[in-house]
Amino acid sequence: MSAVKDLEKDIEVVESGYEFLLAYAAQGRPPHDENNYPPPHARPTLQNMLDSMQNVAGALAGSEDDYEQVIADDIRKASAALKFVLAQPRMSSELVDNLNASIHLRSVLTDFFLYSEVFRPSAEAPSLAVNAAAPKPAQ
């Protein structure tokens, strides 16, 4: 069960990081060295997202499940984009906005949205079970 909790935590880091990056991109920050620019800074969020994606990829390594292999492949591609952005000496809203638009990062997010549904119990499941067990009204 702790492995599932770790996956959920890593998925949440990526999802919330993407939300931060959307807000960051909307700020209109010019290209700058983050060490000499007021916060918020994108690099820590980008690094946390990269670390979490690598954790998920590691957890899925060796899986024989086809969908988990798709996720791992998408993580590999998105990780390359994150590393590319992190390697740039100057950060900007435009750079982050272009990363946000990357199909590779979006693929990981949509993979995670679908995948994380298996961890969340359905709110309808108990009521469906109750309704299925209830006697049917006479007609």
Side-chain angles (χ1 to χ4, degrees):
M1 187 59 144
S2 66
V4 169
K5 290 293 182 200
D6 290 344
L7 279 176
E8 286 179 308
K9 184 185 105 193
D10 285 321
I11 288 170
E12 176 58 31
V13 166
V14 175
E15 290 174 355
S16 63
Y18 184 74
E19 291 172 13
F20 170 85
L21 294 178
L22 289 173
Y24 183 93
Q27 293 178 6
R29 290 172 170 249
H32 62 278
D33 177 346
E34 286 188 322
N35 294 324
N36 302 317
Y37 205 80
H41 297 151
R43 283 183 199 283
T45 298
L46 293 167
Q47 188 62 56
N48 289 340
M49 291 172 69
L50 179 61
D51 293 344
S52 288
M53 282 195 277
Q54 295 302 308
N55 290 342
V56 174
L60 300 180
S63 172
E64 294 181 15
D65 181 84
D66 290 342
Y67 189 62
E68 289 179 343
Q69 289 305 302
V70 167
I71 295 170
D73 189 48
D74 287 342
I75 286 172
R76 183 185 59 77
K77 294 172 186 175
S79 293
L82 285 169
K83 288 175 186 175
F84 178 76
V85 171
L86 284 166
Q88 304 312 306
R90 299 185 316 157
M91 195 61 59
S92 71
S93 289
E94 187 173 353
L95 180 62
V96 169
D97 192 41
N98 287 325
L99 174 64
N100 290 341
S102 165
I103 192 68
H104 305 298
L105 185 56
R106 288 176 179 238
S107 291
V108 169
L109 287 164
T110 55
D111 290 346
F112 283 175
F113 294 151
L114 177 59
Y115 194 66
S116 64
E117 283 302 310
V118 302
F119 303 132
R120 296 185 184 118
S122 171
E124 294 179 15
S127 64
L128 291 175
V130 170
N131 289 338
K136 302 224 186 301
Q139 293 189 11

